[in-house]
Amino acid sequence: RYQTRENSNPQTWEKQSLSRKTLRKGRKKAGEKMVRKGNQSIPGRIKMRKIFARWVFYLLTLTFILGYQTPLEAKKSPNFWIRNLEGDRFDTRRHKGTYVISFFFVNCVPCIKEIPELHSLVTKEFPNTKLLFIDPVDEDTENDIRDFANKLEIPHEFFYRDSFGSVSKKFFRGKFAFPTIVGVAKKKLIFRHSGIDEKIKEDIQKKLMNQG
């Protein structure tokens, strides 16, 4: 009933083994051909449909991200209040006009160039626009900011100390960048720039003039 290795023919074993291996390889290759042809086999069609659906999903997602991002001008500005070095309070809930914020700190070298230029631009050409220079750095005391303002020969009324960074954090995601200039009109952001140059000043002028 049972064939043992001693009385079996080794050549027959090899032939049987080879024929089975050959059969398995043939089936595997046939299966691969079926998948490649796709239209001629159900497994192939299923695989192609999955690949196609995946690419459609990626394309739709990319279109949504790129095509439906909210432009800067449509973003609503956050509400906050803060006091300047003279104790006067500025509250966005009560302020109905346009305002410009410049975020800085006293040891910021680019800020030394940016602040006087921005101050001159806004106060001379747009006197009705509120201008705030806000320092969110904990190490900068009020006296440090006063000395900084005196050095730049700009009145203290324009400078604000954001003691805990609570105001500044509303305008930044992650780390602060200095200097950063933000313009707000009708509760919406109208511009945002890092630093200042002639091109940026032209953009600020244009955006503020459009507010009437």
Side-chain angles (χ1 to χ4, degrees):
R1 293 175 61 181
Y2 298 100
Q3 186 176 16
T4 62
R5 208 173 276 189
E6 286 78 5
N7 60 13
S8 64
N9 187 345
Q11 293 182 355
T12 305
W13 275 56
E14 289 179 3
K15 289 179 181 179
Q16 291 176 350
S17 177
L18 288 172
S19 62
R20 289 174 183 172
K21 288 181 180 179
T22 303
L23 182 60
R24 284 197 295 269
K25 287 181 180 180
R27 289 175 178 172
K28 185 177 181 182
K29 288 181 179 179
E32 290 176 354
K33 288 180 180 179
M34 290 173 68
V35 172
R36 287 196 199 101
K37 290 181 180 179
N39 293 332
Q40 300 176 7
S41 66
I42 294 175
R45 287 198 296 270
I46 293 173
K47 184 175 181 179
M48 293 302 295
R49 285 175 182 173
K50 286 182 178 179
I51 294 173
F52 179 77
R54 190 176 300 169
W55 276 105
V56 170
F57 174 78
Y58 289 154
L59 289 173
L60 289 174
T61 303
L62 185 62
T63 302
F64 178 81
I65 293 172
L66 297 179
Y68 295 91
Q69 282 185 332
T70 304
L72 175 65
E73 290 77 4
K75 291 183 179 179
K76 188 176 180 180
S77 62
N79 287 321
F80 68 90
W81 68 268
I82 193 171
R83 294 185 185 277
N84 64 11
L85 295 182
E86 296 184 348
D88 298 326
R89 174 170 168 151
F90 174 79
D91 192 334
T92 58
R93 295 175 183 83
R94 297 183 178 182
H95 186 79
K96 303 301 181 183
T98 305
Y99 62 91
V100 175
I101 303 174
S102 171
F103 295 96
F104 80 101
F105 66 101
V106 297
N107 291 320
C108 168
V109 176
C111 301
I112 296 174
K113 173 183 181 298
E114 176 261 339
I115 289 175
E117 292 189 27
L118 183 62
H119 175 263
S120 176
L121 172 65
V122 175
T123 56
K124 290 180 180 179
E125 298 189 30
F126 307 96
N128 295 326
T129 297
K130 185 71 175 178
L131 178 60
L132 304 88
F133 295 110
I134 298 180
D135 184 342
V137 177
D138 291 339
E139 291 78 7
D140 293 350
T141 65
E142 286 194 7
N143 287 333
D144 292 333
I145 300 174
R146 290 179 194 279
D147 293 341
F148 183 76
N150 293 337
K151 179 181 177 181
L152 300 180
E153 298 182 347
I154 296 177
H156 294 173
E157 65 184 87
F158 293 98
F159 289 86
Y160 299 74
R161 182 170 183 261
D162 186 11
S163 304
F164 303 101
S166 56
V167 173
S168 305
K169 288 176 182 177
K170 295 182 178 182
F171 289 89
F172 291 91
R173 291 182 179 178
K175 295 181 179 179
F176 295 151
F178 304 100
T180 293
I181 306 169
V182 177
V184 178
K186 300 175 183 177
K187 308 298 182 181
K188 300 289 181 63
L189 297 176
I190 57 174
F191 61 78
R192 183 186 184 102
H193 296 292
S194 296
I196 196 166
D197 55 27
E198 292 305 316
K199 187 175 180 180
I200 290 175
K201 286 195 287 187
E202 288 177 5
D203 184 69
I204 293 174
Q205 285 177 313
K206 180 181 178 181
K207 297 293 175 57
L208 292 179
M209 287 177 64
N210 290 339
Q211 306 310 313

